[in-house]
Amino acid sequence: MSTKILCGPCGYEDNIKHAKKWCTNCEEGFCEDCEKVHRSTKMSRNHTLISVSDYQKIKDVAISQTCVGHGKRYELYCSVHDKPLCIDCVDKHKNCSQLVSLDEVAANAKQSSALADLEDTINGALLNVGKFIKNQETKDKEFDKQESLIKTTIQKTREKLNQHLDLLEQKLIQDLSTKTFNCKSAYGKMLNQLNLANQKLSQLKEETETMKEMASDIQVFLGTREIDKTVSDEIQSIKCIINNTKYFEINMEIDSSITSLLNCVNRLGIISVEERYSELEFQDVKLDQAQKQIYASTGNGHRVVDVKLQQRINIKRTGMNILVSGCLILPSGNILIANFLRDNEIIEYDGKGQYVRYVSCSGKPYYLTLIDPDRFAVTYLGMSKIDIIHLRNTQVHKITTKNECRGISYQDGLLFVVMAEIGIVLLDLSGKIIDTLAIDSQRVYTITTAHDRIYYTKEKENTINCMSLTGQEIWVHQNKSITWPRCISVADNKDLFIICYKSNNLSIINQNGQESKILLKETGDWIKPRALYYSNDRKELLICSDEGWTATVYKVILG
C-alpha cells in the first residue's frame, strides 16, 4: 500500500494534513488549501504540480536534484564537463566558458534527442535480447532434433545386432545423455542470463516512460543521464554474454567394424560435441547527447569521397624521443598513441586534444588494436608477448607466444597476429591458438581485419595483400604511388585506407583491389605519417606523425 504524503507547509505548523498535490520543483506535498496559496504566490505560480497518486509512481526513480558535496540544490549546468552545479560548485568551474542556468538547459528535456536516444537504446536492446532468446530457443529445439536423430540411428543399428550388444548400447546412450545434459545446461544458463537482461531493460524502459510522463524537466534531464549509464552497463554485460556464447553440435560415429566383427568390438560408436562460438552480434543503437552530431550507417553503397581536417593535436613528449608506432580512437572520442622509443609510454588524449594520462604497459609498445570500449591489445616489437590492457582499472592480461609479435588486429573474439617465421596466427583472448595461416611474414609488420577479410602490407615490396579468413589470397595491389606502406585501416564498405611513409601520402584502395586514389599528399601541413586508425562508429580518421609530433583527426566525407 502507498505511503501517505503529508502537506509540507501544514507540517511546518505542526498541523498534520494529507497532501493532494506534489510540487516537482519544491519537492514537497500540498493540501488543497496550501495548493491554492502555492499557485497564487508569484515565486511559485509557474511550478509544476502533479497529483499525489502520480508522484507515487515516480518517487522511487532515483533522481537527485541536490549536490552531494554541498547539500544544495542544483541551479547551474557546466556544458564543458556535462555536470549540474550548485552555487558552491561554481568556484571549481570559474574557467569554464559554458555555465548556463539548469532551468534553461533542461527546458524541453522531454523532447530532447538525449531522451529519445535513451528510449531508442532501451528498445533496441530489448529487440536484441528478444532476438537472442528466440535464436537460443531455436537452437535448443534443433539440438533436440539432433539428439533424437542420433538415438534413432543407435536403435536401428542395435536392431541388426544380437543380444550381446545390449551393454554397449546402454553405455552409449548414457554417454549421449550426459553430453546432451551438459550442452543443454549451457544453453539454459545463457537463456537465463538473457531473460534477466530482458527484465532489467524492461524495467529501465518502464522507469524511463514513467519519468517522461510524470517527472519535471530537471528530473528528466538528470534522470536521462543516470539511466543512460545503467543502460550502457547493461548493454556491455549483454555483449559479454553473447561473445562468450557457444553452440554445440552433437554427432555420432558408428564403429566401422561393427557389421563384420560383432564378437570383437567393444564399442557401438562415439558421441562427440562440436563446439563453436555464436555468430550473433549485438546491434548497437547509438547513444548520443542532443548537442552531438549523429552519423548514419554508410552501408556498402557509400564510397569515401574525401577527408576534411577536423583537429590537430600536439603530442606531449618527455625529451625528444618519439616514434609513433600505433594509434586508436576510442568510442568515447579519446585517442591512444603508442611511442615505440619509450618504455611504458602509451599516451591518452581527450576528444578536444587535451592530454589525459599515460597508460602503463610492459615495454616499448608497437601496434595497438581495440577489443571493446574498455580494452585494447598491444604488441612489442622484438618480444614474444601480447598485453590486453583494461583502460578503466589499468589491469593487464598477459599472453606469452612462441615467436615475436608484430602487427595485431581484433575481430569476433579473435586476435589476428603477425608472428615472425610463422605467419598470421589466430588466438582467442586467453591466448589459445585457434588457427595458423602460413604466409611469408619476413617483411610483414602491419595487419588489419574486417568482415571476412584479412589485409596486410609488405613494406619493401610496396604491396597490399588481401586474403580470406581461411588463408586464400583474394587480391594483391601495387602501384607507383604506394611506396613503403606503413599502416592500413578498413572503411565501412571494405575500401582500404593506407598511409605510405616514403611516398608521404594517404590513399584509399577500393574493395576489389583494382583501383586506388590519393586522398592526401605532401604539403606544408602534411608530414610523413607513421600510424593510422579509422573509427567506423565516429566516421573519423586518425593519422599520427613523429616528425612534428602531431596527431591529426580527419572527418571522412562519404558520397
Side-chain angles (χ1 to χ4, degrees), residues 352-366:
K352 296 185 178 180
Q354 299 298 312
Y355 165 77
V356 176
R357 59 171 173 166
Y358 286 112
V359 179
S360 179
C361 59
S362 59
K364 296 177 180 179
Y366 196 55

Side-chain angles (χ1 to χ4, degrees), residues 187-461:
Y187 284 150
K189 182 179 179 181
M190 171 64 176
L191 192 59
N192 184 54
Q193 290 176 323
L194 289 172
N195 280 322
L196 290 174
N198 187 61
Q199 293 173 10
K200 182 69 176 292
L201 290 168
S202 296
Q203 180 184 347
L204 290 171
K205 178 183 179 182
E206 191 174 320
E207 290 181 5
T208 303
E209 290 173 347
T210 302
M211 176 182 67
K212 179 179 179 181
E213 182 179 352
M214 303 298 179
S216 67
D217 284 339
I218 292 178
Q219 288 174 319
V220 171
F221 180 80
L222 299 174
T224 296
R225 282 152 177 76
E226 293 182 14
I227 297 177
D228 183 303
K229 294 175 184 176
T230 305
V231 171
S232 297
D233 292 341
E234 191 63 25
I235 288 175
Q236 188 60 43
S237 175
I238 295 170
K239 289 181 179 179
C240 290
I241 294 172
I242 297 306
N243 288 339
N244 290 316
T245 298
K246 296 178 181 178
Y247 290 148
F248 308 98
E249 183 175 340
I250 193 164
N251 297 293
M252 176 187 157
E253 179 184 345
I254 298 296
D255 195 297
S256 60
S257 60
I258 195 68
T259 56
S260 59
L261 300 174
L262 295 177
N263 296 322
C264 299
V265 297
N266 57 9
R267 62 183 180 182
L268 185 61
I270 298 173
I271 300 296
S272 63
V273 176
E274 181 180 338
E275 180 180 299
R276 66 181 188 274
Y277 278 95
S278 164
E279 296 178 356
L280 294 174
E281 291 184 3
F282 191 100
Q283 302 298 319
D284 280 310
V285 178
K286 186 173 178 64
L287 279 173
D288 227 336
Q289 300 301 333
Q291 65 268 26
K292 294 181 181 177
Q293 187 174 0
I294 299 176
Y295 301 96
S297 173
T298 63
N300 289 334
H302 287 69
R303 300 296 303 273
V304 177
V305 177
D306 204 351
V307 292
K308 180 180 180 181
L309 179 62
Q310 181 166 291
Q311 186 180 25
R312 191 182 302 276
I313 300 168
N314 293 321
I315 300 175
K316 180 181 178 69
R317 58 194 186 276
T318 53
M320 301 297 285
N321 298 322
I322 281 189
L323 192 157
V324 177
S325 54
C327 60
L328 293 175
I329 301 176
L330 302 177
S332 64
N334 282 16
I335 292 170
L336 293 181
I337 295 175
N339 181 8
F340 177 60
L341 294 184
R342 304 280 292 185
D343 285 334
N344 311 321
E345 189 165 290
I346 298 175
I347 316 169
E348 183 175 357
Y349 296 85
D350 65 18
K352 296 185 178 180
Q354 299 298 312
Y355 165 77
V356 176
R357 59 171 173 166
Y358 286 112
V359 179
S360 179
C361 59
S362 59
K364 296 177 180 179
Y366 196 55
Y367 280 104
L368 311 176
T369 187
L370 190 65
I371 296 175
D372 56 40
D374 187 47
R375 294 182 297 170
F376 69 96
V378 56
T379 60
Y380 307 90
L381 190 63
M383 302 180 72
S384 302
K385 69 173 183 176
I386 301 166
D387 283 349
I388 298 177
I389 300 175
H390 291 250
L391 284 166
R392 189 176 304 175
N393 54 24
T394 66
Q395 290 182 350
V396 179
H397 170 63
K398 299 182 182 297
I399 297 175
T400 302
T401 61
K402 293 182 178 180
N403 292 62
E404 171 195 28
C405 297
R406 299 172 182 170
I408 186 169
S409 182
Y410 172 82
Q411 181 177 309
D412 298 333
L414 296 178
L415 294 170
F416 296 73
V417 187
V418 177
M419 287 195 190
E421 301 177 2
I422 295 181
I424 298 174
V425 180
L426 283 62
L427 307 100
D428 64 18
L429 295 183
S430 69
K432 178 182 177 182
I433 296 177
I434 304 301
D435 198 2
T436 299
L437 306 179
I439 65 168
D440 179 9
S441 61
Q442 182 178 2
R443 297 177 179 176
V444 177
Y445 291 87
T446 301
I447 185 175
T448 191
T449 59
H451 310 290
D452 56 352
R453 296 183 179 185
I454 301 171
Y455 306 85
Y456 62 92
T457 66
K458 291 188 175 181
E459 291 184 353
K460 293 184 179 180
E461 297 176 16

